Amino acid sequence: ETGVTQTPRHLVMGMTNKKSLKCEQHLGHNAMYWYKQSAKKPLELMFVYSLEERVENNSVPSRFSPECPNSSHLFLHLHTLQPEDSALYLCASSQDLLAESSSTDTQYFGPGTRLTVL
Amino acid sequence: GQQLNQSPQSMFIQEGEDVSMNCTSSSIFNTWLWYKQDPGEGPVLLIALYKAGELTSNGRLTAQFGITRKDSFLNISASIPSDVGIYFCAGTLSYAGNMLTFGGGTRLMVKP
């Protein structure tokens, strides 16, 4: 148990569906992240939020829409996805985004949502 | 973008053997982290390294932050079946705060 929870753990959806992934962190952290993990690829950073403000959007298609209503919750809204979007979606959090070089802060991951798009 | 070269990509070893994997980069990193990921789960932090030359142990795991700040290794001694999984190195660059750059992972398989 890392203090970061994600729901649902598994999701199967059609290309015309709309669904949302939820992430909650119980660590009092200020920064939250969405990653995509596809088979045989390194983790891909999708979005970064710091103090509920989006600070990074790594050229992610608009069919993925993040939302951070408060520092403990992060959502990823999905609509009109493609089969190639099937992957493990991981949420992570860290105390802060901008760390001093001497900081011991680091990222903690949730268990992920396994998404299958039919 | 910045890349971390992690090797080997996979290892198949006998229970009881020692394991070594490493990550290298052409860039200087402030932090080196080692994560383990079990099937269907998120990465779990194993060891974090914050100073060049630092050598840190966590049970049977030992990791070092290279003196040049461009590499790190992870050793697992006396492997057991539950060591099976994918091991990722990750690092933070001096200008990127807590944004992580990940290696491609090392898949470890242990034969009982």
Side-chain angles (χ1 to χ4, degrees), chain A residues 9 33 37 43 45 56 88 90 96-97 103-107 109-111, chain B residues 30 33 35 37 40-43 45 50 88 97-100 102-104:
Chain A
R9 293 295 310 274
Y33 312 76
Q37 187 176 35
L43 280 157
L45 181 64
E56 185 84 12
L88 183 68
L90 291 161
D96 294 295
L97 177 62
S103 169
T104 58
D105 194 8
T106 191
Q107 288 186 30
F109 286 82
Chain B
N30 275 350
L33 307 169
Y35 289 88
Q37 186 174 25
E41 300 291 333
L45 183 66
Y50 300 106
F88 290 98
N98 279 323
M99 306 278 274
L100 291 176
F102 280 87

Side-chain angles (χ1 to χ4, degrees), chain A residues 10-105:
Chain A
H10 300 272
L11 179 61
V12 179
M13 59 187 287
M15 289 190 284
T16 58
N17 291 157
K18 287 185 181 182
K19 297 286 183 183
S20 295
L21 309 185
K22 178 182 175 182
C23 176
E24 183 173 0
Q25 55 95 1
H26 313 275
L27 302 168
H29 287 171
N30 294 316
M32 296 186 77
Y33 312 76
W34 277 118
Y35 288 87
K36 176 184 178 183
Q37 187 176 35
S38 305
K40 300 183 180 179
K41 279 188 173 182
L43 280 157
E44 301 172 58
L45 181 64
M46 300 175 72
F47 300 104
V48 181
Y49 276 82
S50 177
L51 297 171
E52 298 138 55
E53 298 274 338
R54 190 192 309 182
V55 296
E56 185 84 12
N57 177 348
N58 272 357
S59 303
V60 179
S62 59
R63 57 185 184 269
F64 294 91
S65 174
E67 179 191 0
C68 189
N70 56 63
S71 59
S72 298
H73 293 86
L74 186 64
F75 294 89
L76 188 62
H77 304 300
L78 317 170
H79 64 99
T80 59
L81 294 192
Q82 305 296 313
E84 60 265 28
D85 296 322
S86 299
L88 183 68
Y89 288 84
L90 291 161
C91 172
S93 72
S94 65
Q95 183 62 55
D96 294 295
L97 177 62
L98 296 176
E100 298 289 333
S101 60
S102 59
S103 169
T104 58
D105 194 8

Side-chain angles (χ1 to χ4, degrees), chain B residues 84-97:
Chain B
V84 164
I86 302 177
Y87 292 79
F88 290 98
C89 64
T92 59
L93 293 157
S94 59
Y95 53 83

Side-chain angles (χ1 to χ4, degrees), chain B:
Chain B
Q2 301 295 336
Q3 286 199 342
L4 285 183
N5 300 308
Q6 186 171 349
S7 64
Q9 288 188 338
S10 63
M11 303 179 73
F12 189 79
I13 62 169
Q14 192 76 34
E15 182 178 359
E17 288 183 356
D18 296 343
V19 172
S20 185
M21 59 192 78
N22 69 83
C23 275
T24 60
S25 175
S26 57
S27 299
I28 291 175
F29 282 81
N30 275 350
T31 305
W32 282 95
L33 307 169
W34 285 93
Y35 289 88
K36 182 193 177 196
Q37 186 174 25
D38 291 326
E41 300 291 333
V44 174
L45 183 66
L46 298 174
I47 292 180
L49 302 159
Y50 300 106
K51 291 182 184 178
E54 181 180 354
L55 183 72
T56 297
S57 293
N58 178 6
R60 293 178 296 106
L61 278 59
T62 302
Q64 185 157 30
F65 193 141
I67 197 71
T68 64
R69 296 171 64 191
K70 294 183 179 181
D71 64 317
S72 177
F73 72 75
L74 174 71
N75 287 342
I76 305 173
S77 62
S79 58
I80 59 178
S82 61
D83 290 334
V84 164
I86 302 177
Y87 292 79
F88 290 98
C89 64
T92 59
L93 293 157
S94 59
Y95 53 83
N98 279 323
M99 306 278 274
L100 291 176
T101 300
F102 280 87
T106 295
R107 182 179 296 274
L108 179 64
M109 293 159 281
V110 179
K111 184 178 180 181

